[in-house]
Structure formats: structure tokens, C-alpha cells
Amino acid sequence: MLRAAQKRFFYVRLPMRIGGRAVLYAIPKRRKENDMYILALESSCDETAAAVVQDGRRALSSVVASQVEEHRLYGGVVPEIASRRHAEAVSGVTAQALEQAGISLDAVDAVAVTYAPGLVGALLVGVNFAKGLALSAGKPLIPVHHLRSHVAANYLAHPDLEPPFLCLIVSGGHSHIVRVEDYTCYTVLGRTRDDAAGECYDKAARAMGMPYPGGVQLDRLAPEGNPDAFALPHPRVEGSPYDFSFSGLKTAVVNLLHKAQQKGEEVNRADLAASFQKTAVEVLSGNLLRAAEDTGAKTVVLAGGVSANSGLRARMAEECTRRGLRLFVPPLSLCGDNAAMVGAQAFYEYCAGHTAGMELNACPTMPVEAPAW
């Protein structure tokens, strides 16, 4: 559990004027005795992020250095480039996060870092930097699973959200339906068998000629089209009602475009985007609502990058209202990769006794339900 009360201070920087010139003046501010401050790091893909989180529920700072513009040149994330950029940015974003929070490294109670899953080179940058910080400052090191962090983004936005609940985790590499039994206990009810939802969005958008990241572009274009213009398949996994399969949907879009090109026909991109969006959202929401009905869940949660999708948010809001379910979704600022969500989950991992030593390594693949380090 949390450490015993300590009489400690951290510094808040306040603007003042001396002789007409603006300066920064630091004064000590007393900490509440039982507060816990976690410095968190995230580097699993193409965002280098750092944040300071208080008691798992309040982000005192959140800094994200994005690499999207550089990877757009290649149509997707290039792992080697991502790793190099993380190494260049991690020290700066960490210093900025501490400064924004008005707290020094000495006053931080623990260091947390995403160690799985993700691009192994990118993960290693964050893991090794966090180990160095923890060792030099004499702080506990908390390893955090990336998908658990996405779920925890909701804890920052919704103080009344507590397990158990049912969660749809949807991102570029993952599509899961999980029952969150407790803050560190997860049961997977369904997962993708091939492409993840975000991956399918990006590939379909790329086939339509949209720049990376395509899912965002497709979501913006979809409201301009007719969602019933094209009949696209709703892939199902026989015998696994909560599992997903998006490769067939992606292939259907690619084949439709190729056939039109061979015939010299023009495809209305807005109509195709709207039809794709409708189909993908129906599959995602359908499986989640089916799982909620079968398990008797009364609270459902969205998490991950694709939880920012306007079509998915609107459909789930409508269906949950109609069915009398409580729906929680993260704000758009917490849907993508960030370190604040890592700090939120780290608090509960620490309370459960999940810490690591200098033997901590990066794990490119690891189930969300796997035991902590």
C-alpha cells in the first residue's frame, strides 16, 4: 500500500514582477501527507510522453512529443526512426513534465514506465531511461502495461468510475473486450483474430488515398457521405461471439477500389468512407453490447486511440441510453498515447505491490490479463 506519511515539500513557480520585469519565483507548498506523486513515461510507439500524476486520478502535467509529421512521409511508423526520436526527446519531455507540475524529481514518490506491449526498440528507450531515473533518485520503479493504461485514462476524467465494468479497448494494434474485475485484474472476453480496428481504418484510408494517420482522415470525411451507399461485410468469428476479424472488411474496400479502377469508374470517397465507418462501428459496438447483455454488465467503457472516433462515440452513446447502461469515454486528449494514463494505472499497480528492479526489460507482446511484472 501507500508509504507512511512524510513531511515533504515541493515547489510551485509563481510569476512575479520586480522592477517592471517578469520573473519566476519559487515558494514551497506543503504536500498533503498521504498524496502519492508518480512520474510516468510512455514510449511504446511514436509518441514520447511524460507526466506527473497524483493518486492515480489527477494529472498535474502531461507532455507529449509526437512524431506523426515525420512518419507521414513513409505512410506509417518506421520503428528505427521512432526509437531514435524517443532517445532524443525523452529527457526534455521529462524535465518539462516536472516543471509543469511544479515538482522536483526528489519529491516524486515513484517512477512508472510502459514496458509492454509495443515496438521493442521504442519501449527500450523509455524503460532504460526510467530505470536510470529510479536508480539515481532511489525511487520505486513501476512497470505498466500499455493497454491497462488506456483503460486508466478514464480514471483521470471520471472520478466516479470504479471496477467492475466492461471495456472495449480499440487502437491501431489492439481490439479487445475485457471485463475489468479490479484495477489490476482483467478477463479478456473477446479480441481480434487478425487486423485490429485502428489498423483496418488506416489501411482502408490509405487505399482511398488518404495520408497517415488515415483513420482520423476517414472519420472526418465520413459525415459527408451516404453510409448506405456500399454494402460491406460484417465479419464474424464462428463460435466466438465477442471476437473480431477486420481483415475481410479491409480487403472488401481494397477490392472495391481496384475493380472500379480497372473499369475506369470513379468511387465517391465520402460515400465509401461513410459506409466503412458505419460497418466498423456496427461490428465494434455490436460485440460490446452483446457482451454487456450476456454478462449483465451495467457499465461500459471505451479506451484506446479509436475511442476518439466520432461514429463509435455517437453510436455507443445512443445505444447505452436506450439500454440503460452507463457509458464512460475518455476525453479526446487522453485517447491517444500519453503518459498521464500510465501514471494513473501505475498508482493502482503500486498499491497492489507490483514494482520491478533493474532487471526490468521491454516486452513487445504481452496479454493485458497477464500477471504484472
Side-chain angles (χ1 to χ4, degrees):
M1 298 301 291
L2 299 180
R3 291 189 294 176
Q6 295 175 322
K7 294 181 179 179
R8 299 192 17 206
F9 297 83
F10 68 96
Y11 285 82
V12 179
R13 305 180 76 186
L14 299 178
M16 300 187 66
R17 286 191 172 272
I18 299 177
R21 183 170 57 91
V23 298
L24 287 175
Y25 180 70
I27 63 172
K29 178 180 177 181
R30 185 65 172 267
R31 292 172 48 131
K32 291 182 180 179
E33 290 184 341
N34 292 324
D35 285 349
M36 182 174 188
Y37 293 82
I38 296 176
L39 171 63
L41 302 170
E42 155 64 29
S43 65
S44 62
C45 190
D46 61 338
E47 270 99 15
T48 316
V52 177
V53 177
Q54 175 187 352
D55 293 339
R57 291 284 178 166
R58 182 184 174 205
L60 302 181
S61 65
S62 182
V63 180
V64 179
S66 177
Q67 304 173 16
V68 168
E69 292 302 321
E70 185 166 9
H71 293 293
R72 182 173 287 143
L73 298 172
Y74 308 97
V77 177
V78 181
E80 176 64 21
I81 293 177
S83 301
R84 289 172 181 266
R85 297 298 172 262
H86 286 312
E88 294 168 358
V90 65
S91 180
V93 298
T94 301
Q96 191 175 349
L98 289 168
E99 182 178 6
Q100 283 187 6
I103 189 171
S104 68
L105 180 60
D106 287 340
V108 166
D109 293 294
V111 177
V113 65
T114 301
Y115 80 108
L119 301 174
V120 67
L123 288 168
L124 281 169
V125 174
V127 167
N128 287 325
F129 187 79
K131 288 198 294 186
L133 278 182
L135 180 62
S136 62
K139 307 295 181 181
L141 179 64
I142 310 172
V144 181
H145 192 286
H146 184 69
L147 297 190
R148 293 188 180 194
S149 296
H150 273 302
V151 177
N154 285 279
Y155 302 148
L156 295 169
H158 307 291
D160 56 332
L161 176 62
E162 296 179 348
F165 53 81
L166 209 59
C167 184
L168 173 66
I169 308 173
V170 275
S171 66
H174 308 275
S175 294
H176 287 65
I177 296 176
V178 300
R179 178 170 171 80
V180 181
E181 313 284 356
D182 200 351
Y183 291 107
T184 61
C185 181
Y186 299 74
T187 300
V188 175
L189 303 182
R191 68 183 81 211
T192 186
R193 296 294 187 91
D194 38 60
D195 287 354
E199 184 181 9
C200 183
Y201 262 92
D202 284 342
K203 289 180 178 178
R206 184 172 184 174
M208 287 184 244
M210 300 179 192
Y212 173 84
V216 177
Q217 309 297 330
L218 193 153
D219 185 30
R220 291 173 181 166
L221 181 61
E224 301 177 16
N226 174 13
D228 299 314
F230 298 95
L232 298 173
H234 291 62
R236 297 287 297 274
V237 178
E238 189 67 29
S240 301
Y242 313 136
D243 280 354
F244 301 103
S245 173
F246 287 104
S247 63
L249 176 58
K250 169 204 64 183
T251 301
V253 171
V254 172
N255 287 344
L256 187 153
L257 291 167
H258 283 174
K259 289 178 181 178
Q261 184 181 28
Q262 290 170 355
K263 294 179 181 179
E265 299 173 351
E266 193 73 28
V267 174
N268 187 307
R269 289 202 315 162
D271 285 349
L272 184 55
S275 299
F276 175 91
Q277 173 105 307
K278 176 186 176 184
T279 304
V281 166
E282 286 176 347
V283 172
L284 289 168
S285 61
N287 285 17
L288 177 60
L289 293 169
R290 188 178 302 112
E293 182 177 355
D294 292 347
T295 61
K298 299 300 181 183
T299 301
V300 294
V301 174
L302 301 183
V306 183
S307 66
N309 182 272
S310 62
L312 179 61
R313 293 166 84 98
R315 174 65 180 264
M316 285 303 303
E318 178 184 346
E319 288 292 335
C320 286
T321 299
R322 186 171 67 85
R323 297 166 185 251
L325 300 174
R326 297 176 72 208
L327 174 67
F328 293 89
V329 297
L332 295 180
S333 61
L334 292 177
C335 290
D337 291 350
N338 64 87
M341 66 184 192
V342 178
Q345 182 59 29
F347 174 79
Y348 297 104
E349 299 289 349
Y350 182 77
C351 290
H354 300 160
T355 60
M358 292 300 105
E359 74 281 2
L360 180 67
N361 202 356
C363 300
T365 60
M366 177 171 287
V368 66
E369 70 274 25
W373 179 264

